[in-house]
Amino acid sequence: MTEDTGAELQLEARQAPLAQVLNRIATQTGVRINYSVLPEGLVTATCVGSTVKQVLECLLAHKADLIFRYPSQAAKTVSPKQPAEVWVLGAKFDVNQTNSETCISTGFQQQATQKLVDVKMDSAQTEPEPDETNELVEMAKSENPAERAEAIGRLMAAGRKDDASVKEALETALSDKDARVRVQAIFSLSQREGAGAAAALREAIHDTDEGVRLTAVDRAGDDVALLQQALTDEAESVRELAAMRLKSISKPNDFR
């Protein structure tokens, strides 16, 4: 963090886990950053900007939808340009150019549901990943909520396809007492089950946690009924995301 106009925030990451980078940004700026499932792999990027929004857009190379909540009256110690809270949603795994006006990125590597993607478009042979299904299913029963959340998130990609124990673990996690676990469960179940997760999403839209409801809207696809219901949500971020999703799937004359 500097006093240079237009470059108050300067980030340099070298082969670091994305979660670690996001947590460091949150710690340094005081802006709370929420996320569901992050791609595995390491990020290398140099980002410069005056706001957290600019830095995050650079870091993520426009591969995720970002929802920002700004305080109605900023505290004296917080710049009014900075959001109070951010949600990182809907990671996209195609390869895009970064914003050269706000950052210089030297690469962003992510391992999603299929494979490690290198922004330099280099290809490399990798050994098959070991089957961790049984280990992760057991980890999902941990007393530690952070471990449960990690297990549920990893089961999305690492769990055996059409394995009943994986589906059971994800469905159980939908009612976990920790909101982080519920968020991971919604994301992982919708990714694995597709339309089969519709009932779970419709239930999640009534969750007491804003992050869970945001994730349900983010994963709703073309479920117009769910999205319209979310338009009346008490949280502005949920209403805004629902309106955005409806607009993207509706004809101009159909959306109001």
Side-chain angles (χ1 to χ4, degrees):
M1 301 181 71
T2 74
E3 296 182 358
D4 297 336
T5 302
E8 289 86 347
L9 302 179
Q10 301 179 13
L11 168 71
E12 185 169 354
R14 291 287 176 268
Q15 293 295 288
L18 182 55
Q20 182 181 8
V21 178
L22 292 177
N23 292 339
R24 184 62 179 272
I25 293 173
T27 299
Q28 291 293 313
T29 64
V31 176
R32 182 178 177 183
I33 301 178
N34 307 282
Y35 48 82
S36 51
V37 176
L38 294 176
E40 298 177 5
L42 304 176
V43 60
T44 296
T46 300
C47 303
V48 177
S50 59
T51 66
V52 169
K53 181 176 185 293
Q54 290 175 332
V55 171
L56 287 177
E57 288 176 341
C58 162
L59 175 66
L60 299 172
H62 301 283
K63 292 181 175 69
D65 292 326
L66 300 174
I67 299 295
F68 298 89
R69 180 176 67 81
Y70 290 85
S72 55
Q73 290 184 344
K76 293 181 179 180
T77 57
V78 178
S79 168
K81 296 188 298 182
Q82 304 298 359
E85 200 162 9
V86 182
W87 283 268
V88 181
L89 300 170
K92 305 169 186 175
F93 299 111
D94 56 332
V95 179
N96 293 311
Q97 294 288 332
T98 56
N99 187 342
S100 60
E101 294 182 358
T102 60
C103 69
I104 303 171
S105 180
T106 57
F108 184 35
Q109 296 177 329
Q110 349 181 50
Q111 183 175 355
T113 56
Q114 298 179 0
K115 62 180 180 179
L116 186 68
V117 180
D118 188 342
V119 295
K120 295 181 180 179
M121 302 302 290
D122 293 331
S123 60
Q125 296 296 324
T126 58
E127 296 181 1
E129 294 290 336
D131 188 347
E132 301 178 306
T133 301
N134 295 338
E135 177 185 344
L136 292 175
V137 168
E138 287 303 311
M139 186 177 172
K141 303 174 185 177
S142 171
E143 294 294 326
N144 187 327
E147 291 184 354
R148 296 199 302 274
E150 179 184 353
I152 294 302
R154 289 170 59 188
L155 278 171
M156 176 186 70
R160 285 189 297 268
K161 185 178 181 181
D162 299 324
D163 190 298
S165 66
V166 174
K167 186 175 181 179
E168 181 181 357
L170 298 181
E171 290 179 341
T172 298
L174 292 172
S175 58
D176 194 278
K177 60 184 179 181
D178 192 284
R180 292 171 297 175
V181 180
R182 300 199 299 276
V183 165
Q184 298 281 24
I186 285 294
F187 195 98
S188 295
L189 189 66
S190 63
Q191 185 72 24
R192 287 178 64 94
E193 301 295 326
L201 293 174
R202 291 171 184 170
E203 182 69 23
I205 200 63
H206 300 290
D207 197 278
T208 57
D209 183 80
E210 183 176 348
V212 176
R213 301 198 303 276
L214 267 172
T215 304
V217 172
D218 183 55
R219 305 300 297 174
D222 59 357
D223 190 335
V224 174
L226 185 154
L227 295 174
Q228 289 180 332
Q229 183 177 3
L231 290 175
T232 62
D233 194 275
E234 62 180 19
E236 182 179 2
S237 60
V238 177
R239 298 195 301 270
E240 289 181 350
L241 183 60
M244 184 190 313
R245 291 289 186 262
L246 277 169
K247 189 172 183 179
S248 69
I249 63 176
S250 302
K251 295 180 181 179
N253 294 334
D254 294 337
F255 180 71
R256 298 177 183 175

